[in-house]
Amino acid sequence: MEIGLLYSRIRRDEKLLLSELRDRGHDVRKVDVRDTTFAVGAAGDADEAAGGAESDADDTDATDGDVTDGAAVLSGCDVVLDRCLATSRSLYTTRFADAYDVPVVNDPATARLCADKVETSLALSEAGVPTPATTVAFDTESALSAVESFGYPCVLKPVVGSWGRLMAKLEGRAAAEAVLEHKATLGHYEHKVFYVQDFVAKPGRDVRVLVCGTEPVAAMTRAGDHWLTNAKRGAETAAFELDEEATELATAAAEAVGGGLLGVDLMETGDDGYTVHEVNHTVEFQALNDAVEADVPATVVDWLEQTAATTLQATP
């Protein structure tokens, strides 16, 4: 297969994927989106792409230090995998790949849903997937009213963001007023969307489920003393055996956002089971791969191969 890889930095996740793809003999076009332009209305030329980005059994950096034509380099790819770090790059590059009629993972519609916490919450709620109670406000006074209605503690999150950055656990009115004022004066319009959420008293851990398509394929717990239990913030990880309910919820959450290569985050709620608090469209899996016995990169590549094969069969 000819596989495009959109990236801005090659992390251990991408190295694991590239190694697996190379071992299976796939040609990979690595596209550093920082050095690539994407023209509106352009149509890729497979021959031009082949000349501009030599492909062989090993993966090839299509940019090679020069500015690259995105339409040309993506043309002819059986599937393109988005591994961009920045949300903005991820959203726009997947949209351009779709505009060039190149199959891309994740689908840009799925990426847009997952990138925006308001959109994700609405999609989960509309699908009947349990998710923490959430209220959105657009003014500090109305946001404070929402906070007070939840009581303390409650959580204030940025509508766009990852790794737990800029998330605040509000313990009292004074803290709420201070954080709301800071957000209101930051300037960017996204900070003037106040996403207030009920605080879920999880048992010191949450559950990250990796989903390929809509099928949960591996899961781990992330535990720590901090209320944020993210592996990037030092949480301890351990393999988690999915029970029937967790499997059903992860599947339903993935279906709610259109499916893809996703990280579905669950919190345990005692006797009530689980609640889904996030669906990630640029999921990292190196910590998961270390925690579980399954070969996660191999599982992801299995799914990529199936996705490309299905797309080719559907092409007239």
Side-chain angles (χ1 to χ4, degrees), residues 269-305:
T269 57
D271 294 337
D272 295 331
Y274 303 90
T275 186
V276 178
H277 62 282
E278 201 157 309
V279 183
N280 302 272
H281 72 286
T282 52
V283 58
E284 297 174 305
F285 53 80
Q286 57 177 296
L288 176 65
N289 193 53
D290 291 338
V292 301
E293 292 185 2
D295 187 333
V296 175
T299 303
V300 172
V301 172
D302 285 344
W303 177 72
L304 274 178
E305 291 173 336

Side-chain angles (χ1 to χ4, degrees), residues 29 44-53 72 75:
R29 296 180 188 176
D45 184 318
D47 293 335
E48 182 181 345
S75 178

Side-chain angles (χ1 to χ4, degrees), residues 111-134:
R112 282 198 302 275
L113 271 179
C114 296
D116 188 311
K117 289 182 174 58
V118 177
E119 295 283 0
T120 304
S121 292
L122 287 169
L124 293 174
S125 177
E126 289 167 356
V129 177
T131 189
T134 302

Side-chain angles (χ1 to χ4, degrees), residues 128-299:
V129 177
T131 189
T134 302
T135 298
V136 174
F138 303 101
D139 176 84
T140 55
E141 289 300 317
S142 55
L144 185 59
S145 175
V147 168
E148 297 271 292
S149 70
F150 279 113
Y152 301 99
C154 67
V155 178
L156 187 66
K157 297 180 178 179
V159 291
V160 176
S162 57
W163 299 338
R165 288 176 297 197
L166 297 180
M167 290 174 58
K169 179 184 176 185
L170 304 176
E171 303 275 10
R173 184 180 178 96
E177 290 175 336
V179 174
L180 292 173
E181 181 182 4
H182 276 83
K183 283 180 64 66
T185 56
L186 282 175
H188 196 282
Y189 78 94
E190 287 175 352
H191 291 301
K192 293 180 173 56
V193 181
F194 301 97
Y195 180 97
V196 187
Q197 196 164 70
D198 191 22
F199 177 77
V200 177
K202 61 186 179 185
R205 69 178 194 177
D206 69 356
V207 180
R208 160 62 59 87
V209 184
L210 181 70
V211 175
C212 289
T214 58
E215 179 184 359
V217 296
M220 66 177 178
T221 56
R222 304 178 296 187
D225 294 332
H226 198 277
W227 72 280
L228 292 171
T229 48
N230 189 299
K232 279 286 184 183
R233 302 174 72 99
E236 295 183 2
T237 59
F240 179 77
E241 186 174 348
L242 287 164
D243 56 34
E244 183 176 347
E245 183 175 359
T247 301
E248 290 178 354
L249 281 184
T251 300
E255 291 174 345
V257 300
L261 180 58
L262 303 167
V264 178
D265 293 341
L266 312 174
M267 288 188 287
E268 294 154 291
T269 57
D271 294 337
D272 295 331
Y274 303 90
T275 186
V276 178
H277 62 282
E278 201 157 309
V279 183
N280 302 272
H281 72 286
T282 52
V283 58
E284 297 174 305
F285 53 80
Q286 57 177 296
L288 176 65
N289 193 53
D290 291 338
V292 301
E293 292 185 2
D295 187 333
V296 175
T299 303

